[in-house]
Amino acid sequence: MRLENQSSVSEFLLLGLPIWPEQQGVFFVLFLGMYLTTVLGNLLIILLIRLDSRLHTPMYFFLSHLAFSDIAFSSVTVPKMLMNMHMKYKSIPYAGCISQTYFFIFFADLDSFLITSMAYDRYVAICHPLHYTIIMSQSICVILVAGSWVIACACALLHTLLLARLSFCADHTIPHFFCDLAALLEMSCSDTSLNQLVIFTAGLTAIMLPFLCIMVSYGHIGATILQVPSTKGICKALSTCGSHLSVVTLYYGAIIGLYFLPSSNNTNNKNIIASLMYTVVTPMLNPFIYSLRNKDMKGALRKLLSKKTYSFN
């Protein structure tokens, strides 16, 4: 097989979604609607948290960053996927592909760290309520968010630099709707053992370790809730964690389904569907989860709408 140096690779071809051509229009409208819902819904969350002083708490500080991360995460892949649905030649430049891989890993890891910070916040609020304001001070919240951004950036940069040194085979066709790191490594004609090692170690750092921290946090929360004698206290504790638990289930459920469940014969289609779950579906559902299950967010929304109605009158 003819080898080409990575510097001579000008572009890659994306196969896109495994759908029939006559279905392109329907899926384009569907995913466009989901993307717009993601952007507008998460922007609304950021706006509400910014405008309502009652939401200036650590939990909503983390949530505002998660909402921004979800907008960026979807924007890394979905616009290009929608554009390719109306193009016969679904190419992406080499530099664009490497950049897309970087930002995909970056915002995926950032989501994981922010969700973990939110779990820690709920743990402190329920298990150590008397010391909550001291433990979850403004400086600690800033450190947790800044650390999430820095570590996610470092992980993504490490993967991208190792990817950029590889050479690729003559076939530059990627069987995906975006530049997936695993698909790019399979196309490489270079030794990817170091890349695979970094994926394993970084995956433990960015995905599994945060997931274990979340499970430990909710283990302590569950034990504390069981010690609460009143049903009202249990309901209040569960209501503060319900939204976050829903997000954890959606996010890590898709990742576990992609990387840890046994593969079927239609592995590539399974990967694409799982990728759609956490790049399109989960970011879209987060605003609904936090607005419909959260009294504070609903109150802030009613307050904003009442102000708008009053100003029009």
Side-chain angles (χ1 to χ4, degrees):
M1 180 177 290
R2 180 172 61 92
L3 304 181
E4 296 179 350
N5 185 273
Q6 59 95 15
S7 61
S8 67
V9 177
S10 60
E11 63 182 16
F12 293 96
L13 298 179
L14 297 170
L15 289 185
L17 301 177
I19 55 179
W20 296 102
E22 57 270 19
Q23 299 174 327
Q24 296 277 2
V26 176
F27 279 96
F28 176 84
V29 173
L30 174 63
F31 287 122
L32 177 61
M34 295 173 73
Y35 176 66
L36 292 177
T37 302
T38 298
V39 174
L40 295 177
N42 283 288
L43 282 177
L44 179 61
I45 284 180
I46 296 172
L47 179 64
L48 292 176
I49 294 173
R50 178 73 176 177
L51 295 179
D52 197 323
S53 59
R54 295 174 301 176
L55 301 181
H56 294 173
T57 62
M59 182 65 175
Y60 294 107
F61 176 68
F62 296 134
L63 178 58
S64 63
H65 282 268
L66 180 64
F68 173 80
S69 179
D70 281 342
I71 293 172
F73 190 33
S74 288
S75 299
V76 170
T77 58
V78 178
K80 179 62 177 176
M81 179 186 73
L82 293 173
M83 185 173 67
N84 283 347
M85 284 185 174
H86 289 286
M87 298 179 65
K88 291 184 178 180
Y89 192 67
K90 305 174 183 180
S91 64
I92 183 171
Y94 173 81
C97 188
I98 299 298
S99 299
Q100 188 182 59
T101 302
Y102 168 80
F103 285 109
F104 180 86
I105 298 172
F106 173 55
F107 288 111
D109 289 351
L110 180 60
D111 268 12
S112 179
F113 293 131
L114 290 175
I115 291 172
T116 306
S117 299
M118 295 168 75
Y120 177 67
D121 174 80
R122 292 300 85 199
Y123 159 74
V124 176
I126 294 175
C127 299
H128 303 282
L130 299 179
H131 301 93
Y132 179 76
T133 55
I134 299 174
I135 298 175
M136 297 304 298
S137 63
Q138 184 177 3
S139 58
I140 292 297
C141 294
V142 171
I143 289 172
L144 287 173
V145 169
S148 298
W149 281 82
V150 171
I151 297 174
C153 179
C155 289
L157 186 61
L158 179 59
H159 285 299
T160 307
L161 291 176
L162 290 175
L163 176 65
R165 71 181 179 84
L166 300 179
S167 299
F168 294 92
C169 300
D171 184 11
H172 298 154
T173 303
I174 301 175
H176 220 303
F177 64 91
F178 70 99
C179 291
D180 180 52
L181 179 60
L184 289 170
L185 293 183
E186 289 182 3
M187 293 168 51
S188 175
C189 299
S190 305
D191 180 15
T192 61
S193 56
L194 180 59
N195 299 73
Q196 299 291 349
L197 178 62
V198 170
I199 288 175
F200 177 75
T201 54
L204 289 176
T205 303
I207 302 298
M208 292 309 301
L209 184 59
F211 180 69
L212 289 176
C213 290
I214 292 172
M215 292 297 100
V216 170
S217 296
Y218 275 102
H220 285 287
I221 290 172
T224 302
I225 290 175
L226 292 177
Q227 295 174 4
V228 177
S230 66
T231 305
K232 184 179 179 180
I234 294 176
C235 293
K236 183 178 179 180
L238 290 175
S239 66
T240 62
C241 300
S243 300
H244 184 253
L245 270 176
S246 301
V247 173
V248 170
T249 303
L250 284 171
Y251 181 79
Y252 287 102
I255 292 178
I256 291 172
L258 177 59
Y259 294 106
F260 296 99
L261 293 183
S263 299
S264 62
N265 295 329
N266 207 9
T267 302
N268 189 59
N269 288 349
K270 184 204 74 171
N271 292 347
I272 292 176
I273 293 172
S275 298
L276 283 172
M277 278 297 299
Y278 66 85
T279 58
V280 181
V281 178
T282 301
M284 180 195 69
L285 291 179
N286 283 356
F288 293 100
I289 291 172
Y290 280 104
S291 61
L292 295 177
R293 295 178 60 90
N294 192 296
K295 292 182 180 179
D296 293 334
M297 292 296 295
K298 287 188 286 188
L301 181 58
R302 283 194 296 266
K303 183 179 177 181
L304 178 63
L305 293 176
S306 62
K307 283 184 177 181
K308 292 294 183 182
T309 303
Y310 179 78
S311 63
F312 284 131
N313 294 332

